[in-house]
C-alpha cells in the first residue's frame, strides 16, 4: 500500500475542499479526485463514514451510480457487506484505505469558525485546531456537513430542516439466536420503537432504535432500551454481550421538502439537512456527494489571492455567549469526573469535548480495563455505577475489564444528576487572559464559535491545550529527541477464546502500539489516525476476525507536560516520597513503551538495564502542586499533562490516577470560582 504523501494543508491552495467526512463527503472527495482535482477532505473528528463508524447504521440502500456500486463491491469483496447490510468497522477501514490508495489529502481534528469571501464566493476558511487557528484556501468547496456548517457561516439566517426521527443501533452477540421478538415499543422514559433483526454475522443481531428527532444524547435512551429488551427477551439475553453501539444518532429525513437555499457561487451543497429529497439510507447520503461533485463542474472556480495563506488571521466573533462558575475543557478520563465533582458543589458547570460522549480512553478509546493506580474517592462511585449498569450490556464475565458503553451511560447519568451542561462536538481554540486569570475561552462547534466566561477552569484536554493557550510553559517528550509515548489505535473484538468455557462468546479489546504522534498537531494526528486504521485492513472479515468497532479516540499516552508548582520525579516514585499537600496515591512500574531504551534518561537506563527493574513496582503520594500551572491563577490540571517529569510520566498516567486528579481539580475549580481565590490558595 502506498505511503500517504505529506504536504501541509495550510501552505497549499486546493482545487476543492470537501468539509464533512460522512458518506457524502467521502463520495464527493473520491469522485473529484478521479477527475484529476487536488482535493482536501476535512472534518472535526477522525471518523470517516461516521454514519457507519459512529452511528453504526447498517441499511446500505441502493444507488445506480458506478461509484456506489464500486464502493459496496469493495466492502463485499472482504465480506464486510451484503446487498442490504454494511458493517461499520469494515466500511471505515476500507474507505480509509481508499483515501490512502487514491492519495486524497485529509485533515481531521479541525472545525471551521469563519469564512473569508470574495463577493458571492468563498476564498478561504478559518479553522480551529488544538493549537489555535489556521487558514485553508481552495478554489471550490463542498459542504458535506450534516447541517450545512459552511452555508450557515456564509448566510447566518440559513436553517437546516428538522429530521423526522433519529436512529441508534445496538449490536448484540450470542452463541446462538432463537426467534427474535420483532418490534418492541417503549413509551417512557423515552418514546422509541425497537426492532431486532439478525445480521450476516452468525453470532450477531442488531437492535434498530427509532427515537424522536429532539433526542440529543444516545446514552440515556440506550439504558432504557436495554432494560426493556431484558424484560421482554429474558433468558435470551442472559448470556449475551453488547459488542458495540451508536455513540451518536443518525438523523432520518423521510419527506421531500422544497428549500430556498442560496449556496455561495463556488460551493456545492451535499448536506443532508439542506437536501430537498428524503435522506434515509447510506446510499442516499453517498448520492448527495456525487451530485455535489457534478454541480461543481458548472460552478464558479475562484482563484484566491496569491498571498491568501500569508495574511493575518481575523478576529473571530462568537455566535453564542455562555457563562458558568466552572468550565471543564475535556470530558475524558479526568474531565468527566472533574465535571461531576464541580457540579455536585452547586457550581454552575459547563463541560466541553469534541467527542459525543464522556469517559475518554476508558469509554471510547478501547482500553476498558484498569492498569495499576489506586482506588477510592469519586472514581469508586463511578466504578460502582458502571458495575450496576453492566448487567444490561453483558452477561457476567463476558467482557474484559468494564463495559465501555456501560461507563458512557454511567457518566452521562452522573453528569446530568450533577447539573452539568455537557456540550459535545466542541473544541477549545483560544482564550482571553486578565492578569494571570483566565477570563474566557473560545470554543468551536458545528453551530459556530462560542465564547464561555467562567471563574474557575479545569484543563482536562489530555494535552494541556487550555493551559498552553493561557501561556503556561511546558516540555514535550524525551530530553534527547522529543519522542513521546507510543499511541494506540484500539478496536473491539468478539471472541470465543479465554472465557473459561470452550466456545463461550465474549468481548475483548485489541490494544497495540500503532506508532508515534504529536497530539498537538492536527496534521500529524490525521496521519496517525489513518495509519492506525489501515493496519486493520484484511483480505476477508469473518465473525471472529472482524473488529466490531474502531475506537473513536486515539490511545494517546503523552503530549505536553505543563510546568507546575511542583514537578513529580522518578526519584519521588522510587523513594516513595510523601507530601504535605497530598491528594492521593499512585503506583505502577516504569511502563514507557519504548523500543530504544538507550535514548531514555541516564537514570532510567540505570534503573532498567543495570538493575533490571522494569517490572518493579514503585509508588508515592501525589501532591496538589502537580495540578497547578505556574503563573496561572485559576486553572487546575486534570489530565496526563500534569506536572511530572518524563520518567515519572511513564508511571503516573493511568486511568485511576487521572480520575483521582479529576475529582480534586473539580473541587478546586469550584472553590476558585466561589471565593475568587487563586487555585494554589
Amino acid at each position: 500500500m502506498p505511503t500517504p504523501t505529506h504536504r501541509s494543508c495550510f501552505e497549499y491552495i486546493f482545487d476543492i475542499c470537501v468539509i464533512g467526512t460522512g458518506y457524502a463527503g467521502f463520495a464527493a472527495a473520491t469522485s473529484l479526485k478521479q477527475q484529476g482535482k487536488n482535493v482536501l477532505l476535512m472534518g472535526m473528528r477522525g471518523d470517516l463514514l461516521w454514519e457507519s463508524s459512529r452511528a453504526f447504521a447498517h441499511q446500505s440502500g441502493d444507488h445506480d451510480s458506478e461509484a456506489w456500486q464500486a464502493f459496496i463491491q469493495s466492502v463485499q469483496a472482504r465480506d464486510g457487506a451484503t446487498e442490504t447490510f454494511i458493517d461499520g468497522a469494515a466500511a471505515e477501514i476500507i474507505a480509509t484505505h481508499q483515501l490512502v490508495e487514491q492519495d486524497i489529502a485529509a485533515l481531521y481534528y479541525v472545525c471551521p469558525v469563519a469564512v473569508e469571501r470574495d463577493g458571492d464566493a468563498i476564498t478561504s476558511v478559518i479553522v480551529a485546531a488544538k493549537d489555535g487557528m489556521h487558514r485553508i484556501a481552495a478554489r471550490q468547496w463542498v459542504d458535506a456537513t450534516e447541517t450545512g456548517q459552511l452555508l450557515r457561516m456564509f448566510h447566518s439566517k440559513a436553517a437546516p430542516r428538522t429530521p423526522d426521527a433519529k436512529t441508534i443501533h445496538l449490536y448484540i452477540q450470542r452463541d446462538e439466536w432463537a426467534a427474535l421478538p420483532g418490534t418492541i415499543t417503549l413509551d417512557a422514559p423515552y418514546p422509541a420503537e425497537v426492532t431486532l433483526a439478525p445480521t450476516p454475522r452468525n453470532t450477531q443481531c442488531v437492535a434498530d432504535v427509532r427515537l424522536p428527532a429532539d433526542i440529543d444524547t444516545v446514552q440515556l435512551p440506550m439504558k432504557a432500551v436495554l432494560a426493556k429488551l431484558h424484560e421482554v427477551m429474558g433468558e435470551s439475553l442472559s448470556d449475551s454481550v453488547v459488542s458495540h453501539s451508536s455513540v451518536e444518532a443518525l438523523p432520518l429525513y423521510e419527506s421531500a421538502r422544497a428549500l430556498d437555499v442560496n449556496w455561495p457561487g463556488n460551493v456545492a451543497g451535499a448536506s443532508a439537512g439542506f437536501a430537498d429529497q428524503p435522506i434515509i439510507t447510506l446510499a442516499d447520503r453517498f448520492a448527495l456527494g456525487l451530485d455535489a461533485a457534478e454541480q461543481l463542474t458548472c460552478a464558479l472556480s475562484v482563484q484566491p489571492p496569491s498571498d491568501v495563506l500569508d495574511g493575518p488571521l481575523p478576529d473571530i466573533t462568537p455566535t453564542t455567549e455562555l457563562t458558568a462558575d466552572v468550565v471543564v475543557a475535556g470530558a475524558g478520563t479526568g474531565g468527566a469526573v472533574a465535571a461531576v465533582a464541580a457540579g455536585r458543589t452547586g457550581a454552575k458547570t459547563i463541560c466541553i469535548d469534541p467527542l459525543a460522549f464522556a469517559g475518554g480512553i476508558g469509554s471510547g478509546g478501547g482500553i476498558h480495563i484498569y492498569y495499576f493506580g489506586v482506588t477510592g474517592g469519586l472514581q469508586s462511585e463511578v466504578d460502582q455505577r458502571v458495575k450496576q449498569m453492566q448487567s444490561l450490556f453483558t452477561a457476567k464475565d463476558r467482557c474484559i475489564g468494564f463495559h465501555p458503553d456501560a461507563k458512557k451511560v454511567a457518566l452521562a447519568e452522573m453528569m446530568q444528576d450533577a447539573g452539568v451542561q455537557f456540550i459535545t462536538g466542541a473544541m477549545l481554540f483560544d482564550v482571553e487572559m486578565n492578569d494571570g486569570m483566565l477570563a474566557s475561552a473560545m470554543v468551536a462547534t458545528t453551530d459556530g464559535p462560542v465564547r464561555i466566561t467562567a471563574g474557575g477552569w479545569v484543563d482536562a484536554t489530555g494535552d494541556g491545550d487550555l493551559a498552553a493557550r493561557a501561556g503556561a510553559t511546558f516540555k514535550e517528550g524525551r530530553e534527547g529527541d522529543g519522542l513521546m509515548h507510543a499511541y494506540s489505535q484500539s478496536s473491539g473484538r468478539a471472541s470465543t477464546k479465554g472465557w473459561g468455557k470452550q466456545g463461550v462468546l465474549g468481548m475483548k479489546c485489541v490494544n497495540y502500539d500503532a506508532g508515534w504522534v504529536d497530539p498537538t498537531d492536527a496534521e500529524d494526528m490525521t496521519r496517525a489516525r489513518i495509519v492506525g486504521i489501515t493496519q486493520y485492513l484484511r483480505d476477508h472479515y469473518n465473525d471472529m476476525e472482524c473488529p466490531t468497532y474502531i475506537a473513536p479516540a486515539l490511545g494517546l499516552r503523552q503530549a505536553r507536560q505543563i510546568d507546575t508548582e511542583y514537578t513529580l520525579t522518578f526519584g519521588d516514585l522510587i523513594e516513595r516520597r510523601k507530601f504535605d499537600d497530598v491528594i492521593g496515591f499512585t503506583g505502577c512500574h516504569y511502563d514507557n513503551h519504548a523500543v530504544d531504551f538507550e535514548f531514555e534518561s541516564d537514570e532510567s537506563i540505570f534503573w532498567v538495564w543495570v538493575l533490571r527493574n522494569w517490572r518493579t513496582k514503585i509508588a508515592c503520594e501525589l501532591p496538589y502542586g502537580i495540578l497547578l500551572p505556574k503563573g496561572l491563577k485559576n486553572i487546575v490540571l486534570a489530565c496526563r499533562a500534569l506536572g511530572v517529569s518524563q520518567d515519572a510520566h511513564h508511571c503516573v498516567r493511568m486511568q485511576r490516577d487521572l480520575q483521582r486528579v479529576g475529582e480534586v481539580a473539580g473541587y478546586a475549580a469550584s472553590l476558585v470560582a466561589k471565593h475568587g481565590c487563586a487555585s494554589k490558595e
Side-chain angles (χ1 to χ4, degrees), residues 67-139:
W68 172 254
Q69 297 300 324
F71 174 70
I72 285 296
Q73 288 169 13
S74 69
V75 184
Q76 289 176 336
R78 289 180 163 86
D79 299 320
T82 66
E83 291 183 357
T84 59
F85 178 92
I86 189 165
D87 181 88
E92 182 178 17
I93 296 164
I94 293 165
T96 301
H97 168 66
Q98 291 183 4
L99 284 187
V100 176
E101 201 172 40
Q102 297 178 40
D103 196 23
I104 296 174
L107 179 62
Y108 300 154
Y109 310 111
V110 297
C111 182
V113 291
V115 297
E116 295 179 310
R117 61 185 77 194
D118 179 6
D120 189 40
I122 293 175
T123 55
S124 55
V125 171
I126 308 302
V127 298
K130 287 166 63 66
D131 62 343
M133 294 188 296
H134 301 274
R135 179 182 279 110
I136 297 292
R139 299 173 183 87

Side-chain angles (χ1 to χ4, degrees), residues 244-506:
H244 55 300
S245 60
S246 302
V247 297
E248 53 190 300
L250 180 71
L252 298 181
Y253 307 88
E254 296 172 331
S255 57
R257 173 183 166 188
L259 297 172
D260 183 17
V261 182
N262 183 21
W263 290 94
N266 63 338
V267 178
S271 166
F274 282 95
D276 59 4
Q277 73 266 29
I279 304 296
I280 300 172
T281 67
L282 303 175
D284 293 337
R285 290 169 171 269
F286 193 93
L288 286 177
L290 296 181
D291 290 345
E294 181 65 25
Q295 292 169 29
L296 286 185
T297 61
C298 303
L300 289 175
S301 180
V302 177
Q303 179 65 37
S306 58
D307 60 350
V308 64
L309 297 173
D310 301 321
L313 295 171
D315 294 330
I316 302 301
T317 302
T319 57
T320 306
E321 301 266 1
L322 299 174
T323 60
D325 298 320
V326 174
V327 172
V328 180
T333 309
V337 179
V340 173
R344 286 185 175 182
T345 69
K348 181 181 179 183
T349 303
I350 293 176
C351 183
I352 64 170
D353 198 273
L355 295 173
F357 54 87
I361 196 71
S363 65
I367 315 298
H368 45 91
I369 189 169
Y370 288 132
Y371 189 68
F372 287 91
V374 181
T375 60
L378 183 54
Q379 62 178 327
S380 289
E381 182 183 340
V382 173
D383 291 343
Q384 184 61 32
R385 292 280 285 266
V386 173
K387 185 177 181 180
Q388 293 169 354
M389 199 83 62
Q390 191 142 310
S391 61
L392 292 176
F393 289 87
T394 179
K396 186 178 180 181
D397 299 329
R398 296 292 183 90
C399 176
I400 294 291
F402 51 85
H403 197 289
D405 291 342
K407 188 157 191 175
K408 291 187 187 80
V409 175
L411 290 172
E413 282 190 340
M414 293 178 75
M415 291 173 70
Q416 182 184 67
D417 293 345
V420 176
Q421 182 181 356
F422 185 22
I423 304 175
T424 60
M427 178 189 298
L428 171 86
F429 70 94
D430 202 4
V431 301
E432 181 182 357
M433 301 296 296
N434 183 12
D435 190 28
M437 299 282 285
L438 176 56
S440 65
M442 290 286 282
V443 176
T445 76
T446 55
D447 290 321
V450 177
R451 177 186 284 125
I452 309 178
T453 302
W457 297 79
V458 176
D459 186 341
T461 59
D463 306 317
D465 298 332
L466 181 66
R469 295 299 300 170
T473 57
F474 53 85
K475 299 177 181 63
E476 291 182 290
R478 301 189 299 200
E479 185 175 348
D481 58 7
L483 189 71
M484 303 178 202
H485 276 235
Y487 78 94
S488 294
Q489 178 53 76
S490 300
S491 66
R493 181 68 58 86
S495 174
T496 57
K497 297 178 181 178
W499 301 99
K501 181 181 175 183
Q502 186 67 26
V504 169
L505 188 67

Side-chain angles (χ1 to χ4, degrees), residues 209-282:
V209 185
R210 182 186 174 93
L211 294 164
D214 59 357
I215 292 292
D216 57 3
T217 178
V218 305
Q219 281 78 43
L220 302 181
M222 192 178 298
K223 177 186 176 183
V225 167
L226 281 170
K228 185 67 174 181
L229 289 178
H230 278 273
E231 176 188 326
V232 172
M233 298 179 70
E235 194 68 24
S236 297
L237 288 187
S238 63
D239 60 351
S240 67
V241 57
V242 175
S243 57
H244 55 300
S245 60
S246 302
V247 297
E248 53 190 300
L250 180 71
L252 298 181
Y253 307 88
E254 296 172 331
S255 57
R257 173 183 166 188
L259 297 172
D260 183 17
V261 182
N262 183 21
W263 290 94
N266 63 338
V267 178
S271 166
F274 282 95
D276 59 4
Q277 73 266 29
I279 304 296
I280 300 172
T281 67
L282 303 175

